[in-house]
Amino acid sequence: AMKSLQTREWGLMVLDEVQTIPADKFRRVLSAVRAHCKLGLTATLVREDDKIQDLNFLIGPKLYEANWMELQDKGYIAHVRCIEIWCKMTAEFYSEYLRTPRRRRKLLYVMNPNKFRTCEYLVKYHQSRMDKIIVFSDNLFALQHYAITLGKPFIDGDTPQSERLNILANFKRRPDLNCIFISKVGDNSFDIPDANVLIQISAHGGSRRQEAQRLGRILRAKKDNVTEGYNAYFYTLISQDTEEMYFSTKRQQFLVNQGYSFEVISNLVLDVDSNFSYSSKREQAQLLQKILESRDSDHETESTAHIGTGSSHGRPQNRGGGGRDNLTRSSHSLAALSGGDDMTYLEFSSSAPQKKHQHPLFNLRRK
């Protein structure tokens, strides 16, 4: 198929998700296929590296950029209310957070009991309004724990395709199924037009592109259910006084540049109610103990622990000690493999470097 593409001279080449083109793999394809004109399309013209400027000579200058606020006002996309909720860490969780190595801290602030109860409150509130809710989590341990505790279906990289399609179909059609939990596999290529509420409990560092992609899951134009001028809601739950606050500020930069504003709620108080999970100190202590007993892999996001749709390390982790049998197989999206999700690759030599033989004449020249 590639040979047939290379042998023809095309009039127009249309490149969707054009921000992935500066990646090395796509550069090769771009140079191998001949076309008189190249047209790039994207809704998120942003990368976390400095290669975005390469599009000027790879494709050409930017000709048109739609104003998101104008599209919103004209009804082409939903009116979204963006809210960031600060969730105070419980004393026990925060004490453990301060003395835990950095690589194991994330699970503590993602599993913060106050964040869990806030998520539970928002799910119940929007379910009472008959809204369609998506809850996103990059961390698989948290994704499964939240979903199972709240009795909701979840989709991650290990979910079979048939089950995934069944969950999405039921979410679209059944009024009694109005909340699903999704890992970062849902950042791209998921068509969920009825979803109008998104709750983000865990994300991939400070990725501005992921923030915009997730907002796009609820941007489909809505015709009804308008409250105070809004018909879609984008919540980000942040554990207060943790590194998550820094990442959140960085993630929002692209959307702020598009005209969105984030409302910060720092005083959301949930009454101690038996209807909410982890309301008692005993339940919180049991949850903390479960986290402390978790494996190192539970502290990783899906990118390194399972499928790697947006990791900053493209090489599977070798956890066993150096043999080929210890390598793990992981599947990736095309966007991730081509660098669209900031994946980078490291080169490793399979054998010790051999000294290159040189003619004696070169040694004479170096003297």
Side-chain angles (χ1 to χ4, degrees):
M2 191 62 194
K3 186 176 181 181
S4 64
L5 291 175
Q6 290 177 290
T7 55
R8 294 185 60 180
E9 187 168 338
W10 301 89
L12 175 64
M13 181 189 297
V14 180
L15 303 153
D16 195 17
E17 300 292 348
V18 73
Q19 76 278 353
T20 64
I21 294 299
D24 292 339
K25 294 289 184 180
F26 277 156
R27 282 179 188 248
R28 295 197 195 102
V29 175
L30 198 64
S31 60
V33 180
R34 296 175 295 170
H36 288 281
C37 180
K38 301 182 183 70
L39 176 63
L41 305 173
T42 184
T44 53
L45 190 62
V46 59
R47 290 176 64 95
E48 300 307 321
D49 54 24
D50 57 355
K51 293 183 178 180
I52 197 70
Q53 300 299 328
D54 294 356
L55 289 175
N56 288 325
F57 63 85
L58 291 173
I59 308 298
K62 180 170 63 177
L63 300 179
Y64 175 75
E65 180 176 5
N67 184 290
W68 290 33
M69 295 297 102
E70 289 183 4
L71 296 176
Q72 178 179 276
D73 294 339
K74 293 179 180 180
Y76 293 113
I77 59 177
H79 287 249
V80 182
R81 184 180 184 183
C82 300
I83 303 173
E84 181 179 288
I85 301 179
W86 292 359
C87 307
K88 187 176 181 180
M89 293 275 282
T90 62
E92 295 78 11
F93 269 70
Y94 195 61
S95 177
E96 194 64 41
Y97 170 84
L98 292 176
R99 60 172 176 258
T100 298
R102 185 173 182 180
R103 63 186 176 84
R104 294 178 64 90
R105 287 180 178 178
K106 182 172 184 176
L107 193 57
L108 286 167
Y109 61 68
V110 173
M111 296 295 295
N112 174 15
N114 286 330
K115 177 186 282 195
F116 191 102
R117 294 169 62 213
T118 301
C119 178
E120 185 177 6
Y121 167 78
L122 292 173
V123 169
K124 289 182 177 180
Y125 170 73
H126 283 285
Q127 280 182 329
S128 67
R129 289 164 34 102
M130 300 303 295
D131 292 328
K132 290 288 187 178
I133 310 156
I134 306 174
V135 183
F136 269 102
S137 173
D138 276 30
N139 185 278
L140 291 179
F141 181 93
L143 176 80
Q144 296 175 11
H145 184 84
Y146 272 69
I148 293 172
T149 304
L150 298 179
K152 307 298 181 185
F154 65 88
I155 298 173
D156 61 20
D158 291 334
T159 306
Q161 182 70 6
S162 58
E163 182 181 348
R164 182 181 303 187
L165 294 175
N166 186 50
I167 292 174
L168 293 176
N170 289 333
F171 180 72
K172 294 177 183 178
R173 299 167 187 168
R174 286 174 47 185
D176 59 323
L177 178 58
N178 47 19
C179 179
I180 57 174
F181 284 70
I182 305 179
S183 71
K184 68 193 311 177
V185 297
D187 288 351
N188 301 286
S189 305
F190 267 46
D191 182 27
I192 315 176
D194 296 329
N196 63 331
V197 177
L198 190 146
I199 303 172
Q200 187 172 224
I201 59 176
S202 169
H204 180 57
S207 174
R208 297 167 295 168
R209 180 173 176 270
Q210 186 187 56
E211 190 86 349
Q213 292 282 57
R214 288 187 173 173
L215 179 69
R217 301 307 99 197
I218 57 172
L219 272 185
R220 189 75 65 87
K222 312 291 190 299
K223 295 182 179 179
D224 52 7
N225 206 15
V226 177
T227 304
E228 298 179 355
Y230 301 99
N231 53 12
Y233 297 85
F234 182 75
Y235 296 98
T236 301
L237 307 187
I238 304 297
S239 289
Q240 201 167 350
D241 298 324
T242 66
E243 63 183 8
E244 192 175 25
M245 299 186 73
Y246 164 75
F247 289 136
S248 178
T249 302
K250 186 176 185 299
R251 290 170 61 85
Q252 295 169 5
Q253 290 177 1
F254 177 78
L255 293 178
V256 169
N257 291 339
Q258 302 303 318
Y260 286 94
S261 60
F262 283 77
E263 176 185 349
V264 176
I265 298 177
S266 59
N267 57 350
L268 181 65
V269 179
L270 299 177
D271 295 332
V272 178
D273 191 331
S274 59
N275 292 328
F276 289 107
S277 304
Y278 305 113
S279 296
S280 68
K281 291 289 185 181
R282 182 172 175 272
E283 291 176 321
Q284 295 176 13
Q286 290 175 345
L287 176 62
L288 180 58
Q289 186 63 31
K290 185 176 182 179
I291 294 171
L292 295 179
E293 294 175 352
S294 62
R295 302 167 299 175
D296 285 347
S297 59
D298 294 331
H299 294 255
E300 300 172 349
T301 61
E302 187 174 27
S303 57
T304 54
H306 282 69
I307 67 163
T309 58
S311 173
S312 59
H313 302 280
R315 188 175 183 265
Q317 299 293 317
N318 185 344
R319 306 184 191 282
R324 189 176 183 87
D325 294 338
N326 293 319
L327 295 177
T328 58
R329 181 186 296 274
S330 58
S331 59
H332 301 260
S333 69
L334 182 59
L337 289 171
S338 60
D341 290 332
D342 313 319
M343 175 182 284
T344 57
Y345 291 85
L346 302 177
E347 293 185 4
F348 293 85
S349 176
S350 58
S351 60
Q354 298 179 354
K355 186 175 180 181
K356 188 176 181 181
H357 176 73
Q358 291 184 336
H359 194 277
L361 178 62
F362 289 97
N363 295 328
L364 295 175
R365 291 189 60 184
R366 290 194 181 94
K367 291 182 180 180

